[in-house]
Coordinates of all heavy atoms in Angstrom, one line a residue:
A25 N 25.0 -6.5 -4.8 CA 24.0 -6.2 -6.0 C 22.9 -5.3 -5.5 O 22.4 -5.3 -4.5 CB 23.5 -7.6 -6.4
P26 N 22.4 -4.3 -6.5 CA 21.4 -3.4 -6.2 C 20.0 -4.2 -6.0 O 19.8 -5.2 -6.7 CB 21.4 -2.4 -7.4 CG 22.1 -3.2 -8.5 CD 23.0 -4.2 -7.9
L27 N 19.2 -3.7 -5.1 CA 17.9 -4.3 -4.9 C 17.0 -4.0 -6.0 O 17.1 -2.9 -6.7 CB 17.3 -3.7 -3.6 CG 17.8 -4.1 -2.3 CD1 17.3 -3.3 -1.2 CD2 17.6 -5.6 -2.0
P28 N 16.1 -4.9 -6.4 CA 15.1 -4.6 -7.5 C 14.3 -3.4 -7.0 O 14.1 -3.2 -5.8 CB 14.3 -5.9 -7.6 CG 14.9 -6.9 -6.7 CD 16.0 -6.2 -5.9
A29 N 13.7 -2.7 -8.0 CA 12.9 -1.6 -7.8 C 11.8 -1.8 -6.7 O 11.4 -1.0 -5.9 CB 12.3 -1.0 -9.0
Q30 N 11.1 -3.1 -6.9 CA 10.0 -3.4 -6.1 C 10.4 -3.4 -4.6 O 9.6 -3.2 -3.7 CB 9.2 -4.6 -6.4 CG 10.2 -5.9 -6.1 CD 9.4 -7.2 -6.6 OE1 9.6 -7.6 -7.7 NE2 8.5 -7.6 -5.8
E31 N 11.6 -3.8 -4.3 CA 12.2 -3.9 -2.9 C 12.3 -2.5 -2.3 O 12.2 -2.3 -1.1 CB 13.5 -4.6 -2.9 CG 13.5 -6.1 -3.3 CD 13.0 -7.1 -2.2 OE1 13.0 -6.7 -1.0 OE2 12.7 -8.2 -2.4
L32 N 12.6 -1.5 -3.1 CA 12.7 -0.2 -2.6 C 11.6 0.6 -2.4 O 11.6 1.4 -1.5 CB 13.7 0.6 -3.6 CG 15.1 0.0 -3.9 CD1 15.7 0.7 -5.1 CD2 16.0 0.0 -2.6
E33 N 10.6 0.4 -3.1 CA 9.3 1.1 -2.9 C 8.6 0.5 -1.6 O 8.4 -0.6 -1.4 CB 8.3 0.7 -4.0 CG 8.5 1.3 -5.3 CD 7.7 0.7 -6.4 OE1 6.5 0.3 -6.1 OE2 8.1 0.5 -7.5
K34 N 8.4 1.5 -0.6 CA 7.9 1.1 0.6 C 6.3 1.6 0.6 O 6.0 2.6 0.4 CB 8.6 1.8 1.8 CG 10.0 1.3 2.1 CD 10.1 0.1 2.8 CE 11.5 -0.3 2.9 NZ 12.0 -1.3 1.9
P35 N 5.5 0.6 0.9 CA 4.2 0.9 0.8 C 3.8 1.8 2.1 O 4.6 1.8 2.9 CB 3.3 -0.4 0.9 CG 4.3 -1.4 1.2 CD 5.7 -0.9 0.9
P36 N 2.6 2.5 2.1 CA 2.3 3.3 3.1 C 2.3 2.6 4.5 O 1.9 1.4 4.5 CB 0.8 4.0 2.9 CG 0.5 3.1 1.7 CD 1.6 2.5 1.0
T37 N 2.8 3.2 5.5 CA 2.8 2.4 6.9 C 1.7 3.1 7.8 O 1.1 4.1 7.6 CB 4.2 2.6 7.5 OG1 4.5 4.0 7.5 CG2 5.1 2.0 6.8
I38 N 1.4 2.2 8.8 CA 0.4 2.8 9.8 C 1.1 3.0 11.1 O 2.0 2.3 11.5 CB -0.7 1.7 10.0 CG1 -0.1 0.3 10.3 CG2 -1.7 1.6 8.9 CD1 -1.1 -0.6 10.9
A39 N 0.7 4.1 11.7 CA 1.3 4.5 12.9 C 0.4 3.9 14.2 O -0.8 3.9 14.1 CB 1.3 5.9 13.2
S40 N 1.1 3.3 15.2 CA 0.3 2.8 16.4 C 0.8 3.6 17.5 O 1.8 3.3 18.2 CB 0.5 1.4 16.5 OG 1.8 1.0 16.5
G41 N -0.1 4.6 18.0 CA 0.2 5.4 19.1 C 1.2 6.4 18.8 O 1.7 6.6 17.8
K42 N 1.6 7.3 19.9 CA 2.5 8.4 19.8 C 3.9 7.8 20.0 O 4.1 7.0 20.8 CB 2.3 9.4 20.8 CG 0.9 10.1 20.7 CD 1.0 11.4 21.5 CE 1.0 11.1 23.1 NZ -0.3 11.2 23.7
G43 N 4.8 8.4 19.1 CA 6.2 8.0 19.3 C 6.6 6.6 18.9 O 7.8 6.2 19.3
K44 N 5.7 5.9 18.5 CA 6.0 4.4 18.0 C 6.5 4.5 16.6 O 6.3 5.4 15.8 CB 4.7 3.7 18.1 CG 4.1 3.4 19.4 CD 4.6 2.0 19.9 CE 3.9 1.8 21.3 NZ 3.9 0.5 21.6
K45 N 7.4 3.4 16.4 CA 8.0 3.3 15.0 C 6.8 3.0 14.0 O 6.0 2.2 14.3 CB 9.0 2.3 15.1 CG 10.1 2.5 14.0 CD 11.2 1.4 14.2 CE 12.0 1.3 12.9 NZ 12.0 -0.1 12.5
L46 N 6.9 3.5 12.8 CA 5.9 3.2 11.8 C 6.1 1.7 11.3 O 7.2 1.3 11.1 CB 6.1 4.1 10.6 CG 5.6 5.5 10.8 CD1 6.0 6.4 9.6 CD2 4.2 5.7 11.1
R47 N 5.0 1.1 11.1 CA 5.0 -0.3 10.7 C 4.0 -0.7 9.7 O 3.0 -0.1 9.6 CB 4.7 -1.2 12.0 CG 5.3 -2.4 12.2 CD 5.1 -3.1 13.3 NE 3.8 -3.6 13.5 CZ 3.3 -4.7 14.0 NH1 4.3 -5.4 14.7 NH2 2.1 -5.1 14.0
K48 N 4.5 -1.5 8.8 CA 3.6 -1.9 7.7 C 2.5 -2.8 8.3 O 2.8 -3.5 9.2 CB 4.4 -2.8 6.6 CG 4.9 -1.9 5.5 CD 5.5 -2.8 4.4 CE 7.0 -2.8 4.7 NZ 7.8 -3.5 3.7
P49 N 1.3 -2.7 7.7 CA 0.1 -3.6 8.2 C 0.6 -5.0 7.8 O 1.3 -5.3 6.9 CB -1.0 -3.2 7.4 CG -0.5 -2.3 6.4 CD 0.8 -1.8 6.7
R50 N 0.1 -6.0 8.6 CA 0.5 -7.4 8.4 C -0.1 -7.9 7.1 O -1.3 -7.5 6.7 CB -0.3 -8.1 9.5 CG 0.1 -9.5 9.5 CD -0.5 -10.2 10.6 NE -0.5 -11.7 10.5 CZ -1.2 -12.5 11.1 NH1 -2.1 -12.2 12.0 NH2 -1.2 -13.8 10.7
T51 N 0.6 -8.6 6.4 CA 0.3 -9.1 5.0 C -0.9 -10.3 5.2 O -0.6 -11.1 6.1 CB 1.3 -9.7 4.3 OG1 2.5 -8.7 4.2 CG2 1.1 -10.1 2.9
I52 N -1.8 -10.1 4.4 CA -2.9 -11.2 4.4 C -2.7 -12.0 3.2 O -2.9 -11.4 2.1 CB -4.3 -10.7 4.5 CG1 -4.4 -9.6 5.7 CG2 -5.4 -11.7 4.5 CD1 -4.4 -10.2 7.0
Y53 N -2.3 -13.3 3.3 CA -2.1 -14.1 2.1 C -3.4 -14.7 1.7 O -4.1 -15.2 2.5 CB -1.1 -15.1 2.4 CG 0.3 -14.6 2.8 CD1 0.6 -14.5 4.1 CD2 1.2 -14.2 1.8 CE1 1.8 -13.8 4.5 CE2 2.5 -13.7 2.2 CZ 2.8 -13.5 3.4 OH 4.0 -13.0 3.8
S54 N -3.7 -14.8 0.4 CA -4.8 -15.5 -0.1 C -4.6 -17.0 0.1 O -3.4 -17.5 0.1 CB -5.0 -15.2 -1.6 OG -4.1 -15.8 -2.4
S55 N -5.6 -17.7 0.0 CA -5.6 -19.2 0.2 C -4.6 -19.8 -1.0 O -3.9 -20.8 -0.8 CB -6.9 -19.8 0.2 OG -7.7 -19.4 -0.9
L56 N -4.8 -19.2 -2.1 CA -3.9 -19.7 -3.3 C -2.5 -19.4 -3.0 O -1.7 -20.3 -3.3 CB -4.4 -18.9 -4.5 CG -4.1 -19.6 -5.9 CD1 -5.2 -20.6 -6.1 CD2 -4.1 -18.6 -7.0
Q57 N -2.1 -18.2 -2.5 CA -0.7 -17.9 -2.2 C -0.3 -19.0 -1.1 O 0.9 -19.4 -1.2 CB -0.7 -16.6 -1.7 CG -0.9 -15.5 -2.9 CD -0.9 -14.1 -2.3 OE1 -1.4 -13.8 -1.2 NE2 -0.6 -13.1 -3.2
L58 N -1.1 -19.1 0.0 CA -0.6 -20.0 1.0 C -0.5 -21.4 0.5 O 0.5 -22.2 0.9 CB -1.7 -20.1 2.2 CG -1.8 -18.7 3.0 CD1 -2.9 -18.9 4.0 CD2 -0.4 -18.5 3.7
Q59 N -1.3 -21.9 -0.3 CA -1.2 -23.3 -0.9 C 0.1 -23.4 -1.6 O 0.8 -24.4 -1.5 CB -2.3 -23.5 -1.9 CG -2.7 -24.9 -2.2 CD -3.8 -25.0 -3.2 OE1 -4.6 -24.2 -3.3 NE2 -3.8 -26.1 -3.9
A60 N 0.4 -22.4 -2.4 CA 1.7 -22.4 -3.2 C 2.9 -22.3 -2.3 O 3.9 -23.1 -2.5 CB 1.6 -21.3 -4.2
L61 N 2.8 -21.5 -1.3 CA 3.9 -21.3 -0.4 C 4.2 -22.7 0.5 O 5.4 -23.1 0.7 CB 3.7 -20.1 0.6 CG 3.8 -18.8 0.0 CD1 3.2 -17.7 0.8 CD2 5.3 -18.4 -0.3
N62 N 3.1 -23.2 0.9 CA 3.1 -24.4 1.6 C 3.7 -25.6 0.8 O 4.5 -26.5 1.3 CB 1.8 -24.8 2.4 CG 1.6 -24.0 3.6 OD1 2.4 -23.9 4.5 ND2 0.4 -23.4 3.6
Q63 N 3.2 -25.7 -0.4 CA 3.7 -26.7 -1.3 C 5.1 -26.6 -1.6 O 6.0 -27.5 -1.5 CB 2.9 -26.6 -2.7 CG 2.5 -27.8 -3.2 CD 1.5 -27.5 -4.4 OE1 1.2 -26.4 -4.9 NE2 1.0 -28.5 -5.0
R64 N 5.6 -25.3 -1.7 CA 7.0 -25.1 -2.0 C 7.9 -25.5 -0.8 O 9.0 -26.0 -0.9 CB 7.2 -23.7 -2.4 CG 8.6 -23.4 -3.1 CD 8.8 -24.4 -4.2 NE 10.1 -24.0 -4.8 CZ 10.3 -23.2 -5.8 NH1 9.4 -22.5 -6.3 NH2 11.6 -23.1 -6.2
F65 N 7.3 -25.2 0.4 CA 8.0 -25.4 1.6 C 8.3 -26.9 1.8 O 9.2 -27.3 2.4 CB 7.3 -24.9 2.8 CG 8.0 -24.9 4.1 CD1 9.0 -24.0 4.4 CD2 7.7 -26.0 5.0 CE1 9.7 -24.1 5.6 CE2 8.4 -26.0 6.4 CZ 9.3 -25.1 6.6
Q66 N 7.3 -27.6 1.4 CA 7.4 -29.2 1.5 C 8.5 -29.8 0.6 O 9.1 -30.7 1.0 CB 6.1 -29.8 1.2 CG 5.1 -29.8 2.4 CD 3.7 -30.2 1.9 OE1 3.5 -30.7 0.8 NE2 2.7 -30.2 2.8
Q67 N 8.7 -29.1 -0.6 CA 9.9 -29.5 -1.4 C 11.2 -29.0 -0.9 O 12.1 -29.9 -0.8 CB 9.7 -28.8 -2.8 CG 8.5 -29.4 -3.5 CD 8.2 -28.5 -4.8 OE1 8.9 -27.6 -5.2 NE2 6.9 -28.6 -5.4
T68 N 11.3 -27.8 -0.4 CA 12.4 -27.2 0.2 C 12.2 -26.2 1.1 O 11.3 -25.4 1.0 CB 13.4 -26.7 -0.9 OG1 14.6 -26.2 -0.3 CG2 12.7 -25.6 -1.8
Q69 N 12.9 -26.2 2.3 CA 12.8 -25.3 3.4 C 13.5 -23.9 3.1 O 13.3 -22.9 3.7 CB 13.2 -25.8 4.7 CG 12.2 -26.9 5.2 CD 12.5 -27.3 6.7 OE1 13.2 -26.6 7.3 NE2 12.1 -28.4 7.0
Y70 N 14.4 -24.0 2.1 CA 15.2 -22.9 1.8 C 15.2 -22.6 0.4 O 15.3 -23.4 -0.5 CB 16.7 -23.1 2.2 CG 16.9 -23.2 3.7 CD1 16.7 -24.4 4.4 CD2 17.2 -22.0 4.5 CE1 16.8 -24.6 5.7 CE2 17.4 -22.1 5.8 CZ 17.2 -23.4 6.4 OH 17.3 -23.5 7.8
L71 N 15.0 -21.2 0.0 CA 14.9 -20.9 -1.4 C 16.1 -20.1 -1.8 O 16.6 -19.2 -1.0 CB 13.7 -19.9 -1.6 CG 12.3 -20.5 -1.6 CD1 11.3 -19.4 -1.7 CD2 12.1 -21.7 -2.6
A72 N 16.6 -20.4 -2.9 CA 17.7 -19.6 -3.6 C 17.2 -18.3 -4.1 O 16.0 -18.2 -4.3 CB 18.4 -20.4 -4.7
L73 N 18.0 -17.2 -4.2 CA 17.4 -15.9 -4.7 C 16.6 -16.0 -6.0 O 15.5 -15.4 -5.9 CB 18.6 -15.0 -4.8 CG 19.2 -14.4 -3.6 CD1 20.5 -13.7 -3.8 CD2 18.2 -13.4 -2.9
P74 N 17.2 -16.7 -7.0 CA 16.3 -16.7 -8.2 C 14.9 -17.4 -7.9 O 13.9 -17.1 -8.6 CB 17.1 -17.6 -9.2 CG 18.5 -17.6 -8.6 CD 18.3 -17.4 -7.2
E75 N 15.0 -18.5 -7.1 CA 13.8 -19.1 -6.8 C 12.7 -18.3 -6.1 O 11.6 -18.2 -6.3 CB 14.0 -20.4 -6.0 CG 14.9 -21.5 -6.6 CD 15.3 -22.6 -5.6 OE1 15.5 -22.3 -4.5 OE2 15.3 -23.7 -6.1
R76 N 13.4 -17.5 -5.2 CA 12.4 -16.6 -4.3 C 11.8 -15.5 -5.3 O 10.6 -15.2 -5.2 CB 13.3 -16.0 -3.4 CG 12.5 -15.1 -2.3 CD 13.3 -14.6 -1.3 NE 14.1 -13.4 -1.6 CZ 15.0 -12.9 -0.9 NH1 15.5 -13.4 0.2 NH2 15.6 -11.8 -1.3
A77 N 12.7 -15.1 -6.2 CA 12.2 -14.0 -7.1 C 11.1 -14.5 -8.0 O 10.1 -13.8 -8.2 CB 13.4 -13.5 -8.0
E78 N 11.3 -15.8 -8.5 CA 10.4 -16.4 -9.4 C 9.0 -16.7 -8.6 O 7.9 -16.3 -9.1 CB 10.9 -17.7 -9.9 CG 10.1 -18.3 -11.0 CD 10.6 -19.8 -11.4 OE1 11.8 -20.0 -11.0 OE2 9.8 -20.5 -11.9
L79 N 9.2 -17.2 -7.4 CA 7.8 -17.5 -6.7 C 7.2 -16.2 -6.3 O 5.9 -16.2 -6.5 CB 8.3 -18.2 -5.3 CG 7.2 -18.8 -4.5 CD1 6.3 -19.8 -5.4 CD2 7.7 -19.4 -3.2
A80 N 7.9 -15.2 -5.9 CA 7.3 -13.9 -5.6 C 6.5 -13.4 -6.8 O 5.3 -12.9 -6.7 CB 8.4 -12.9 -5.1
A81 N 7.1 -13.4 -7.9 CA 6.5 -12.9 -9.1 C 5.3 -13.7 -9.5 O 4.3 -13.0 -9.9 CB 7.6 -12.9 -10.2
Q82 N 5.3 -15.0 -9.4 CA 4.2 -15.8 -9.7 C 3.0 -15.5 -8.7 O 1.9 -15.5 -9.2 CB 4.6 -17.3 -9.5 CG 5.4 -18.0 -10.6 CD 5.9 -19.3 -10.3 OE1 5.5 -19.9 -9.2 NE2 6.6 -19.9 -11.2
L83 N 3.3 -15.3 -7.5 CA 2.1 -15.1 -6.5 C 1.8 -13.8 -6.3 O 0.9 -13.4 -5.5 CB 2.7 -15.7 -5.1 CG 3.0 -17.2 -5.2 CD1 3.5 -17.8 -3.9 CD2 1.8 -18.1 -5.6
G84 N 2.6 -12.8 -7.0 CA 2.1 -11.3 -6.8 C 2.5 -10.8 -5.5 O 2.0 -10.0 -4.8
L85 N 3.6 -11.4 -4.9 CA 4.2 -10.9 -3.5 C 5.5 -10.3 -3.7 O 6.1 -10.4 -4.7 CB 4.2 -12.1 -2.5 CG 3.0 -12.9 -2.1 CD1 3.3 -14.2 -1.5 CD2 2.1 -12.1 -1.4
T86 N 6.0 -9.5 -2.7 CA 7.3 -9.0 -2.9 C 8.3 -10.2 -2.4 O 7.8 -11.0 -1.8 CB 7.6 -7.8 -1.9 OG1 7.5 -8.2 -0.6 CG2 6.6 -6.7 -2.3
Q87 N 9.5 -10.1 -2.8 CA 10.5 -11.0 -2.4 C 10.7 -11.1 -0.8 O 10.8 -12.1 -0.3 CB 11.8 -10.8 -3.0 CG 11.8 -11.1 -4.5 CD 13.3 -11.0 -5.1 OE1 14.2 -11.5 -4.6 NE2 13.4 -10.4 -6.4
T88 N 10.6 -9.9 -0.2 CA 10.6 -9.8 1.2 C 9.5 -10.6 1.8 O 9.8 -11.2 2.9 CB 10.7 -8.3 1.7 OG1 11.5 -7.6 0.9 CG2 10.8 -8.2 3.1
Q89 N 8.3 -10.4 1.3 CA 7.2 -11.2 2.0 C 7.4 -12.7 1.9 O 7.1 -13.4 2.8 CB 5.8 -10.8 1.1 CG 5.3 -9.4 1.4 CD 4.2 -9.0 0.5 OE1 4.2 -9.2 -0.6 NE2 3.3 -8.3 1.1
V90 N 8.0 -13.2 0.7 CA 8.2 -14.6 0.5 C 9.4 -15.0 1.5 O 9.2 -16.1 2.2 CB 8.7 -14.9 -1.0 CG1 9.1 -16.3 -1.0 CG2 7.5 -14.7 -1.8
K91 N 10.4 -14.2 1.6 CA 11.5 -14.5 2.4 C 11.1 -14.6 3.9 O 11.4 -15.6 4.6 CB 12.5 -13.4 2.4 CG 13.7 -13.6 3.2 CD 14.7 -12.4 3.2 CE 14.3 -11.3 4.1 NZ 15.3 -10.2 4.2
I92 N 10.2 -13.6 4.4 CA 9.7 -13.7 5.8 C 8.9 -14.8 6.1 O 8.9 -15.4 7.1 CB 9.2 -12.3 6.1 CG1 10.3 -11.2 6.2 CG2 8.5 -12.3 7.5 CD1 10.0 -9.8 6.4
W93 N 7.9 -15.1 5.0 CA 7.1 -16.3 5.2 C 7.8 -17.6 5.5 O 7.5 -18.3 6.3 CB 6.1 -16.4 4.0 CG 5.0 -17.4 4.2 CD1 3.8 -17.2 4.7 CD2 5.3 -18.9 4.0 NE1 3.2 -18.5 4.8 CE2 4.0 -19.4 4.3 CE3 6.3 -19.7 3.5 CZ2 3.8 -20.8 4.2 CZ3 6.0 -20.9 3.3 CH2 4.8 -21.5 3.7
F94 N 8.8 -17.7 4.7 CA 9.6 -18.9 4.8 C 10.4 -18.9 6.1 O 10.4 -20.0 6.7 CB 10.7 -19.1 3.7 CG 10.2 -20.0 2.5 CD1 9.3 -19.5 1.6 CD2 10.6 -21.3 2.3 CE1 8.7 -20.2 0.5 CE2 10.1 -22.1 1.3 CZ 9.2 -21.6 0.5
Q95 N 10.9 -17.8 6.5 CA 11.6 -17.7 7.9 C 10.6 -18.0 9.0 O 11.0 -18.9 9.8 CB 12.1 -16.2 8.1 CG 13.3 -15.9 7.4 CD 13.8 -14.5 7.6 OE1 12.9 -13.7 8.0 NE2 14.9 -14.0 7.1
N96 N 9.4 -17.5 9.0 CA 8.4 -17.8 9.9 C 8.0 -19.3 9.9 O 7.8 -19.9 11.0 CB 7.2 -16.9 9.8 CG 7.5 -15.4 10.1 OD1 8.4 -15.1 10.8 ND2 6.6 -14.7 9.6
K97 N 7.8 -19.8 8.8 CA 7.4 -21.3 8.6 C 8.5 -22.2 9.1 O 8.2 -23.1 9.8 CB 7.2 -21.4 7.1 CG 6.6 -22.8 6.8 CD 5.2 -23.0 7.2 CE 4.7 -24.4 6.8 NZ 3.3 -24.7 7.1
R98 N 9.8 -21.9 8.9 CA 10.8 -22.7 9.3 C 10.9 -22.7 10.8 O 11.0 -23.7 11.5 CB 12.2 -22.2 8.9 CG 12.5 -22.7 7.4 CD 14.0 -22.5 7.1 NE 14.4 -21.0 7.1 CZ 14.4 -20.1 6.1 NH1 13.9 -20.6 4.8 NH2 14.9 -19.0 6.2
S99 N 10.7 -21.5 11.4 CA 10.7 -21.4 12.9 C 9.5 -22.2 13.5 O 9.7 -22.8 14.5 CB 10.8 -19.9 13.3 OG 9.7 -19.6 14.1
K100 N 8.4 -22.0 12.9 CA 7.2 -22.8 13.4 C 7.3 -24.3 13.2 O 7.0 -25.0 14.2 CB 5.9 -22.4 12.6 CG 4.6 -22.4 13.3 CD 3.5 -22.0 12.4 CE 3.3 -20.6 12.1 NZ 2.1 -20.3 11.3
Y101 N 8.0 -24.7 12.1 CA 8.3 -26.0 11.8 C 9.2 -26.7 12.9 O 9.0 -27.7 13.4 CB 8.8 -26.2 10.4 CG 9.1 -27.5 10.0 CD1 8.2 -28.4 9.6 CD2 10.5 -28.0 10.0 CE1 8.4 -29.8 9.1 CE2 10.8 -29.2 9.4 CZ 9.8 -30.2 9.1 OH 10.1 -31.4 8.6
K102 N 10.3 -25.9 13.2 CA 11.2 -26.4 14.2 C 10.7 -26.5 15.5 O 11.0 -27.4 16.3 CB 12.4 -25.4 14.2 CG 13.3 -25.6 13.0 CD 14.5 -24.6 13.0 CE 15.4 -24.7 11.7 NZ 16.0 -23.4 11.4
K103 N 9.7 -25.6 15.8 CA 9.1 -25.6 17.2 C 8.2 -26.9 17.3 O 8.3 -27.5 18.3 CB 8.2 -24.3 17.4 CG 8.1 -24.0 18.8 CD 7.6 -22.4 18.9 CE 6.1 -22.4 19.0 NZ 5.6 -20.9 19.0
I104 N 7.5 -27.2 16.3 CA 6.7 -28.4 16.2 C 7.6 -29.7 16.3 O 7.2 -30.6 17.1 CB 5.7 -28.4 14.9 CG1 4.8 -27.3 15.1 CG2 5.1 -29.9 14.8 CD1 4.0 -27.0 13.8
M105 N 8.6 -29.6 15.6 CA 9.5 -30.8 15.6 C 10.2 -31.0 17.0 O 10.3 -32.2 17.5 CB 10.7 -30.6 14.6 CG 10.4 -30.8 13.1 SD 9.6 -32.5 13.1 CE 8.8 -32.4 11.5
K106 N 10.5 -29.9 17.7 CA 11.0 -30.0 19.1 C 10.0 -30.7 20.0 O 10.3 -31.5 20.8 CB 11.3 -28.6 19.5 CG 12.7 -28.6 20.3 CD 12.9 -27.3 21.1 CE 13.5 -26.3 20.1 NZ 13.7 -25.1 21.0
Q107 N 8.7 -30.5 19.8 CA 7.7 -31.1 20.7 C 7.4 -32.5 20.4 O 6.8 -33.2 21.1 CB 6.3 -30.3 20.5 CG 6.3 -28.9 20.9 CD 5.2 -28.0 20.6 OE1 4.2 -28.6 19.7 NE2 5.1 -26.8 20.9
G108 N 7.9 -32.9 19.1 CA 7.8 -34.3 18.7 C 6.5 -34.5 17.9 O 5.6 -35.1 18.2

């Protein structure tokens, strides 16, 4: 399936040093966005594509940002669980 237009638009990137790969600046989430993301994570650790699209639209984030946030949160969660 083709990607939505918003997925194809790449925001400007920042260069760090010579010959380094260009990288997007780190996303800063608002407390409201974090609250909604954390709340959703408590309900389910995995989002279906339509759920991800809906959540991204509600919070004014890209689907990629939501996807990566959930990936990072799951990995952090598993790490904490391993420690007991």
